[in-house]
Structure formats: structure tokens, C-alpha cells
Amino acid sequence: LAVNKLSGFLFGREMPSTPTAGFGSPGQVSSVFLNGSWGYGNYNAAFATVKMQQWHGLTLVSNLTWSKTLGTQAVAQSTSGFTPVDAFNLHNQYGPQPFDFRLIYNTYMVWEPSWYKGQKGIVGHLLGGWKFSPIFTALSGAPVEVNVDGDCQAYGEINCSSGGTNENAILMSPYTGGNSVHYNVPGSNGIGTSQPLTNINMFANPAAVYNQFRAPLVGFDNQTGGQGVLRGLPTWNLDMSVGKEFRITERVNTKFIATFTNVLNHNQLNNPSLSITSPQSFGVIFGQANTPRQMEFGIRIGF
């Protein structure tokens, strides 16, 4: 019977969830999760709406919501790959929820001009029977996280190969970087330099914003910022539907419908990647968040 002996003393790792090659694979403890229904949150909002009905053929509804939603980022118990930052202090993760849009505005309308409503004559058939239905939406920026080492290891909550959480870096001074798109920003000192061709960044000076953050410290930082300590880019979009009715006879009519998604072909850029462990891509904006304009046409015959 062969007996394997340890060749030397093995020092314990600083975190129980750190993978090691000591006893078994992946190590001492693969992962430590806390999954349960102990999270909490709150939502407060003010809502204003304006309505207009059949004013010269125009029906309109306009809404504005001003809100604030905070919570501990808890998710369904079935989501076993997500764990709190600090299992002994759930309030550590209290902060803006992922859907915390402070301002939401939308307007939708239906306009049916009364011109040539009877569609008499050639001009009446061309100019009468139109209907326009635009929908406009605008949102302020969503919370954006400045993460540390892939949202996993700074507090020792879980190893990076098994799951993650929302682990924000700590903002050390008042934030003044804003949340708008800046062009021709090459970056400096190795920060925000990973896209030298387009040079699009959320910060005019990514190095200055990067240096405002540090990793959270166990036992020292009791609040890590929830879903995000910064705000992403504001968004807006305009969709539209256009229709026209052609009266052929008293009993037969044809309806033409055209639907446009993102009718202005507005390019809404993605929020940037923000990680203090990846300084080269800090604040750099890659790609488009919305879809380019799409069109759909249809004809309906009624009799």
C-alpha cells in the first residue's frame, strides 16, 4: 500500500473561496454562495401626464415619471450564480437598482387630418384618409458599475470562475466626469487607450475619472454602491406608424400601413466598460445599443 506524504507545509489561502491545487480540485472550497429571499428595496416616484383628445384630429398622451428606486440587488433564489458582496451585511450592497431611471418621458399620438376626409376627386383620394402615429421615448442614464476584478474576489465572496455579484469600486472624491459622449479622446497613461481608431469615450479625461476610484476594503468599506455609482448615457428613440385609407367604393376600401422602428435612424451608443482592473478600456464606448431603422409595409383590403 503506497502512502502519499506532503512534501512541505501548505499555508492556507487568504480567502476560503480562492481556488488552490492543495487538497483536491479546484481547492479547499470551490465557492461560497448566499442565496435567499432576504433582500429589500423601495421605490418612490412622482408622475405627471397630459392628455389631449380629438383636437383638430389630434389625440395625444404625454407622461413624465421622476423616480428613485434603491435596494440590495437581490434576485430570484433560482439565480444561484449571484451572491451578495458581504453575506454578513446585506446593506453593504444597498444602492440604485438596475432599473433606476430617474427620469422617463414618453409621448404617443394619433393624428388624423380632417383635410379631404370624404376623398372626393383625385386630390381628395391623394390627400385624404391619412393617419400618423409617432411614439417618442426618452430616459436618463441607467446606473453603471465601476467593477473590480470581474465582480468577484475583492470581498472574498466568491471565486471568479463560479459566479459574481455587483462589486463597485469606491469613489474617493466628488464625481465630476458627467455621462455624455466625447469624441477624439485618445486616452493617456494607459487609461482609455484601447480604441485608437474611433476614440469615443464617456469621459473627456478618462485618466482623471479612473484615478477617483479604488478597490473596496474588507472591514473598512460598508457601502459598495448597489448596481452602480455612476450614470450611463441617456437614451431616446422615435418610432412611427403611417397609414392611409383608400375608398374604392362605398363597400370596398383599402388600407396601407407603414411602420418604422427608429424612424430617424438614431445611433444610440452603448454604455462603456468601467473596471479599475482594465484601465485600457476604461470609459471606451464600443458599438451601438439600439437597432438601425427597420421598416414594415402592409396592405389590408376590407369589403
Side-chain angles (χ1 to χ4, degrees):
L1 179 63
V3 177
N4 294 326
K5 296 183 178 180
L6 296 177
S7 59
F9 183 79
L10 296 177
F11 288 94
R13 303 300 287 259
E14 71 279 10
M15 299 176 183
S17 61
T18 303
T20 70
F23 302 96
S25 178
Q28 300 175 31
V29 179
S30 174
S31 295
V32 177
F33 292 90
L34 176 67
N35 298 107
S37 54
W38 305 292
Y40 54 89
N42 60 80
Y43 175 80
N44 297 279
F47 176 83
T49 183
V50 175
K51 295 182 180 180
M52 180 186 301
Q53 188 166 357
Q54 289 299 326
W55 182 74
H56 295 284
L58 176 64
T59 298
L60 176 147
V61 178
S62 183
N63 303 305
L64 175 65
T65 302
W66 175 39
S67 65
K68 185 175 183 180
T69 176
L70 302 173
T72 55
Q73 313 306 301
V75 295
Q77 289 175 280
S78 59
T79 309
S80 58
F82 186 86
T83 190
V85 171
D86 186 349
F88 300 97
N89 178 17
L90 293 182
H91 190 74
N92 186 298
Q93 205 163 347
Y94 185 79
Q97 297 279 56
F99 49 91
D100 181 34
F101 295 93
R102 298 295 172 84
L103 292 172
I104 301 176
Y105 175 77
N106 61 73
T107 294
Y108 62 92
M109 65 179 71
V110 177
W111 182 40
E112 298 181 79
S114 56
W115 315 321
Y116 301 97
K117 195 170 183 177
Q119 295 193 26
K120 295 181 180 180
I122 297 178
V123 177
H125 279 81
L126 290 174
L127 301 182
W130 287 96
K131 179 186 293 186
F132 303 91
S133 305
I135 300 176
F136 176 80
T137 59
L139 294 85
S140 60
V144 175
E145 180 190 8
V146 181
N147 68 47
V148 184
D149 194 22
D151 281 338
C152 49
Q153 197 67 291
Y155 260 70
E157 63 273 11
I158 192 172
N159 72 63
C160 300
S161 62
S162 299
T165 184
N166 293 325
E167 188 180 75
N168 287 274
I170 303 301
L171 183 62
M172 297 181 292
S173 58
Y175 176 69
T176 58
N179 63 334
S180 58
V181 178
H182 295 83
Y183 297 91
N184 301 317
V185 181
S188 60
N189 300 323
I191 301 172
T193 59
S194 63
Q195 198 176 3
L197 296 179
T198 56
N199 296 330
I200 304 176
N201 202 292
M202 194 171 82
F203 313 114
N205 187 347
V209 178
Y210 176 87
N211 290 326
Q212 288 187 275
F213 290 90
R214 63 165 173 81
L217 301 175
V218 180
F220 181 77
D221 296 311
N222 296 317
Q223 183 61 260
T224 55
Q227 175 65 24
V229 294
L230 301 184
R231 291 284 162 172
L233 303 174
T235 61
W236 63 270
N237 184 65
L238 179 64
D239 300 327
M240 176 175 283
S241 175
V242 178
K244 177 170 172 45
E245 181 179 353
F246 298 90
R247 292 186 178 179
I248 300 175
T249 66
E250 291 184 359
R251 300 184 60 181
V252 179
N253 64 79
T254 300
K255 292 183 179 180
F256 167 76
I257 302 172
T259 302
F260 304 89
T261 303
N262 188 10
V263 63
L264 299 179
N265 204 26
H266 167 63
N267 182 5
Q268 182 65 58
L269 295 174
N270 278 318
N271 284 325
S273 171
L274 300 175
S275 173
I276 62 173
T277 50
S278 301
Q280 296 86 357
S281 61
F282 192 84
V284 176
I285 296 175
F286 296 93
Q288 184 174 350
N290 61 348
T291 59
R293 178 174 50 227
Q294 298 181 8
M295 298 178 288
E296 181 177 331
F297 303 93
I299 294 178
R300 177 184 296 175
I301 298 176
F303 54 90

